[in-house]
Amino acid sequence: MRIALTGFSIGWGIFILIVLLGAGNGLLKGMMSNFSDTTDNIYTVTPGKTAMFYKGWPKNREIVFTHDDVERLESNFPDKIEHISATLSATAELTYGTVTTNGSIEGKEVGFERTEHIRIVQGRQLSQMDADSLRKTCVVSSSLARILFRDDQHPVGKYLSGNGVQLLVVGIYEPNVDIGSIVREVYVPYTTAHQVFCHDEKLSKITLMLRGLDDLRSNQAFEQVLLQKIADVKDFNVSDPSAVKLKTDYENYLDTVSILNGIYLFIIIIGLATLVSGVVGVSNIMMITVKERTRELGVRKAMGASNEHIVALVLVESVIITLIFGYVGMICGVGITQLMSEALSAAGGSDIFSDPTVGLNIILAANVVMLIAGIIAGYVPAKKAISSKLVDALSA
């Protein structure tokens, strides 16, 4: 009964550790799924107007980006920029049949979906052939499609009018915005936008996908260098707050990851602390066992048993108790996390908690922890077993 109750404390400790790690893992997965669109390091550079005098230039001077600036940035940061794209924008009156609404026409380069994180739900994406042939094709946001095409469930293949120009709808996309927001943007090939809607080729923004910047410090350093490069070319004070706007969600993502990792570490510490209480319990029981078996151990030593043999005897018993009850606790913990995962899946999932299971690496780590716990629990009693004098042991 004494061993069973002590073993229960070890099993309970492992059970709590597995469940807490599974819950922490579920929290990480759930929260990270909300940041799935910010795991890529994407910067949006938008031109504005100067708010400061600089080298004789007046305030309120418009900063203009052209495609030359795109090529210049790409050549300045070849090792940092994985993908770069330019956007042309024009306000537009969008019409289909008798329905008219205001919106914008965006000229996009092929591959822009890598930085915009849009998802095509009907039809196809803009292609290189569309761009090369100056086709008047477009992809429309799902919310705008509902406004223009009303009850028509299949707008792909139909024509809408943008500032009097007929555009063939080849795809419907789901924008990366909150549900319920209305996005009135129509995407057309960059070449078509330049030819038809934006003859001056003034870019509305430049979007960069970066690589090799995996922490907050490196991102902040890159921002300073990027702004300085642009300021040198466009002649504005690099500290001017409105000349150029830099936007990225990646730094918020890094901060969130850091916070979540801290929470996960705290969970691990709590689980290990619970396990330590079980280890102390096993150690105490082994101390009592050694005391009760003092005469037996003395007889063994008198018959020629070495100190190593006595230590091994105590350690093996401690490890066996720890492993048996530890595996029972581990199996129960893994079972609970699996049941939680299946229950969440059946309920349709959660925005902040997802798949609270533990991986094979955690299972293996738990095995190592249990083995170490058993050795630690038996070490002090084993040392006590060999420290008693032979005469005292035999007379006990």
Side-chain angles (χ1 to χ4, degrees):
M1 178 63 70
R2 186 172 59 202
I3 291 175
L5 292 175
T6 306
F8 174 79
S9 65
I10 279 286
W12 181 253
I14 289 292
F15 172 80
I16 292 296
L17 180 61
I18 293 294
V19 171
L20 284 176
L21 291 178
N25 203 26
L27 179 63
L28 282 174
K29 289 179 181 178
M31 295 297 292
M32 293 306 294
S33 67
N34 295 325
F35 287 87
S36 58
D37 293 330
T38 58
T39 54
D40 292 323
N41 198 348
I42 295 174
Y43 276 76
T44 301
V45 187
T46 307
K49 291 185 177 181
T50 58
M52 302 170 63
F53 294 102
Y54 185 73
K55 292 184 178 179
W57 291 99
K59 294 192 297 183
N60 295 319
R61 177 169 53 93
E62 183 181 9
I63 301 299
V64 177
F65 286 163
T66 65
H67 213 278
D68 291 338
D69 296 302
V70 176
E71 296 173 356
R72 188 178 296 110
L73 288 176
E74 196 167 16
S75 62
N76 285 335
F77 305 99
D79 58 331
K80 294 289 189 295
I81 297 178
E82 182 176 337
H83 180 76
I84 186 169
S85 63
T87 300
L88 293 169
S89 294
T91 56
E93 185 179 78
L94 305 171
T95 303
Y96 177 76
T98 59
V99 180
T100 299
T101 186
N102 293 322
S104 67
I105 292 176
E106 307 265 324
K108 296 289 188 178
E109 297 183 308
V110 176
F112 75 95
E113 62 275 7
R114 295 182 64 187
T115 55
E116 297 290 343
H117 290 298
I118 66 170
R119 180 171 58 90
I120 297 294
V121 293
Q122 285 188 44
R124 64 172 177 85
Q125 188 56 271
L126 298 175
S127 67
Q128 187 63 51
M129 189 173 292
D130 292 328
D132 293 341
S133 303
L134 299 178
R135 291 176 176 173
K136 295 181 179 66
T137 53
C138 69
V139 292
V140 181
S141 72
S142 56
S143 54
L144 181 59
R146 285 191 292 270
I147 293 173
L148 288 177
F149 298 96
R150 298 292 176 87
D151 298 329
D152 193 336
Q153 301 297 316
H154 303 284
V156 174
K158 296 180 171 59
Y159 285 87
L160 63 84
S161 173
N163 288 347
V165 178
Q166 295 296 304
L167 299 172
L168 174 64
V169 178
V170 298
I172 305 297
Y173 71 89
E174 199 68 51
N176 178 28
V177 295
D178 295 334
I179 296 174
S181 298
I182 298 176
V183 176
R184 302 174 186 269
E185 293 177 351
V186 175
Y187 295 155
V188 301
Y190 181 91
T191 51
T192 302
H194 176 44
Q195 186 77 19
V196 180
F197 301 103
C198 310
H199 302 290
D200 55 5
E201 203 181 6
K202 289 167 54 176
L203 302 182
S204 60
K205 66 179 180 180
I206 299 174
T207 310
L208 303 87
M209 177 183 286
L210 306 177
R211 57 170 173 258
L213 304 176
D214 300 323
D215 56 63
L216 190 60
R217 181 177 298 177
S218 61
N219 273 272
Q220 291 174 341
F222 175 80
E223 285 182 21
Q224 293 300 317
V225 175
L226 177 63
L227 275 175
Q228 188 63 61
K229 291 285 186 182
I230 298 173
D232 290 342
V233 174
K234 299 300 179 181
D235 285 325
F236 65 85
N237 194 319
V238 71
S239 59
D240 194 321
S242 61
V244 168
K245 300 289 187 181
L246 285 182
K247 179 185 177 183
T248 179
D249 293 326
Y250 192 68
E251 293 181 6
N252 293 334
Y253 164 75
L254 292 176
D255 290 339
T256 303
V257 169
S258 178
I259 293 171
L260 290 176
N261 286 334
I263 294 174
Y264 196 62
L265 178 61
F266 182 68
I267 289 172
I268 292 175
I269 292 173
I270 292 176
L272 291 176
T274 305
L275 184 60
V276 165
S277 65
V279 172
V280 171
V282 172
S283 182
N284 288 335
I285 290 301
M286 293 308 300
M287 289 287 287
I288 296 172
T289 301
V290 167
K291 185 175 182 180
E292 291 177 346
R293 296 173 62 186
T294 300
R295 183 176 177 80
E296 175 200 337
L297 296 177
V299 171
R300 286 178 179 272
K301 292 177 72 173
M303 294 176 65
S306 63
N307 286 340
E308 290 77 11
H309 174 80
I310 301 298
V311 169
L313 193 69
V314 178
L315 283 181
V316 167
E317 183 176 345
S318 172
V319 169
I320 288 175
I321 293 173
T322 302
L323 290 180
I324 289 176
F325 288 95
Y327 277 121
V328 171
M330 182 187 296
I331 292 170
C332 292
V334 171
I336 288 294
T337 58
Q338 290 291 341
L339 288 175
M340 289 170 60
S341 179
E342 292 178 7
L344 280 173
S345 298
S350 170
D351 292 336
I352 60 173
F353 200 71
S354 173
D355 189 24
T357 55
V358 293
L360 180 61
N361 57 334
I362 293 179
I363 299 295
L364 294 176
N367 278 274
V368 173
V369 168
M370 285 193 300
L371 182 61
I372 294 174
I375 293 173
I376 293 174
Y379 179 74
V380 174
K383 291 292 288 183
K384 180 175 177 59
I386 63 174
S387 65
S388 59
K389 295 181 180 180
L390 179 58
V391 175
D392 295 335
L394 292 174
S395 62

